[in-house]
Amino acid sequence: MTNNNRNSPGEDEGIRLAKRVAALAGVSRREAELLIENGAVRVDGVPQMLPQSRVLPHQQVEIEAGAKPEPVLPVTLLLYKPAGMATDIAHRLLVAANHHEPERAGLRFLPAHAKAQHCMTPLETGASGLVAYTQEFRIERKLQEDAGILEHEVMVDVAGPVSPEVLARLERSPARVSIGRQSDEQTGLRFALKGARPGQIANICDGVGLRILAMRRIRIGRVPLAGLQPGQWRYLAPHERF
């Protein structure tokens, strides 16, 4: 459907896109908002997904053929939080520009996907790695109910070598700990810890005299960080389970 109205006196400021779409499609204002939020509306050939945006009378508004005014389905987003960013502001990275590029071709990001996202797996500000945000009730309930038994895999770089005695002490902690690499300057440790809480690994390391240089969570349950780079995010795939 296409509308090519020309400008007329008194309409220079335009009208809300939702109002224009409602008139064009013969639907209610709420149904028009749903069409827009689903990415089914273009203004002058450019997708427009904000119902409150304004359009001028001469601008061309098109509605995708066969589009239905249905609610946007809730989604779960997986973010690679950079070190130094607090979890409570990391949701600002959930924008189209940071969508993992290999996934963009098959999954269209909608602004509604970033609204009312709940962070279920916070990280310390100094740590980096996988953080899960969700709008899905079943995922939120799963992560809440299984919080104490869900395993987190975290790579931790500490200063200097780790002696067999210190490693033995680490193995008596709630975590399974192994050495991935080691040099005179630093050691890379792998922690696998069920029910991990922010600050817990730092406390374990402090208890055996280890100084943390970097910390990166690479897995939550069965969901990996995969190929994300710091600041990037992707959708939880339908086949993935925490």
Side-chain angles (χ1 to χ4, degrees):
M1 288 175 277
T2 303
N3 186 5
N4 275 312
N5 292 342
R6 305 307 301 174
N7 200 4
S8 59
E11 296 183 324
D12 290 338
E13 294 182 1
I15 62 171
R16 282 174 55 95
L17 178 59
K19 182 176 181 180
R20 178 84 166 268
V21 170
L24 181 59
V27 297
S28 69
R29 187 74 61 87
R30 178 54 186 152
E31 288 173 323
E33 291 173 349
L34 292 174
L35 287 170
I36 297 165
E37 290 172 356
N38 273 286
V41 175
R42 291 176 177 266
V43 176
D44 291 339
V46 179
Q48 178 55 259
M49 290 173 278
L50 297 176
Q52 71 272 24
S53 62
R54 304 188 76 82
V55 291
L56 296 171
H58 69 272
Q59 289 185 287
Q60 185 183 66
V61 176
E62 299 171 292
I63 303 172
E64 187 177 296
K68 296 180 180 180
E70 299 173 335
V72 178
L73 295 176
V75 295
T76 297
L77 306 180
L78 305 172
L79 171 70
Y80 187 159
K81 186 189 83 67
M85 174 175 278
T87 300
D88 59 2
I89 63 170
H91 67 275
R92 298 175 186 175
L93 296 173
L94 302 176
V95 296
N98 296 330
H99 189 187
H100 189 42
E101 191 166 349
E103 194 178 65
R104 290 185 191 181
L107 289 170
R108 178 168 54 185
F109 172 70
L110 303 175
H113 289 164
K115 291 181 179 179
Q117 282 285 355
H118 299 154
C119 177
M120 303 303 301
T121 55
L123 273 175
E124 301 94 325
T125 297
S128 68
L130 184 60
V131 176
Y133 291 85
T134 191
Q135 301 168 329
E136 300 180 83
F137 174 72
R138 64 180 183 85
I139 298 293
E140 184 172 347
R141 185 177 61 184
K142 166 74 173 177
L143 292 175
Q144 286 175 337
E145 292 180 349
D146 293 354
I149 60 173
L150 201 64
E151 187 173 78
H152 297 238
E153 185 174 353
V154 184
M155 308 305 293
V156 182
D157 291 338
V158 298
V162 174
S163 68
E165 292 77 18
V166 170
L167 184 60
R169 291 173 64 190
L170 286 171
E171 290 171 346
R172 291 195 291 271
S173 74
R176 290 186 291 113
V177 186
S178 59
I179 295 177
R181 65 185 188 285
Q182 185 160 232
S183 68
D184 292 338
E185 290 74 32
Q186 68 179 53
T187 300
L189 298 173
R190 173 191 172 274
F191 280 73
L193 180 62
K194 290 184 178 180
R197 303 180 303 276
Q200 188 173 8
I201 291 176
N203 287 336
I204 292 172
C205 289
D206 286 345
V208 296
L210 294 176
R211 180 167 62 89
I212 293 177
L213 302 175
M215 188 184 306
R216 178 168 57 100
R217 182 163 60 195
I218 62 172
R219 178 173 58 83
I220 301 172
R222 290 171 286 178
V223 176
L225 185 61
L228 294 177
Q229 297 299 313
Q232 291 184 334
W233 63 269
R234 68 179 180 88
Y235 290 97
L236 180 72
H239 68 273
E240 290 185 295
R241 298 290 183 272
F242 285 101

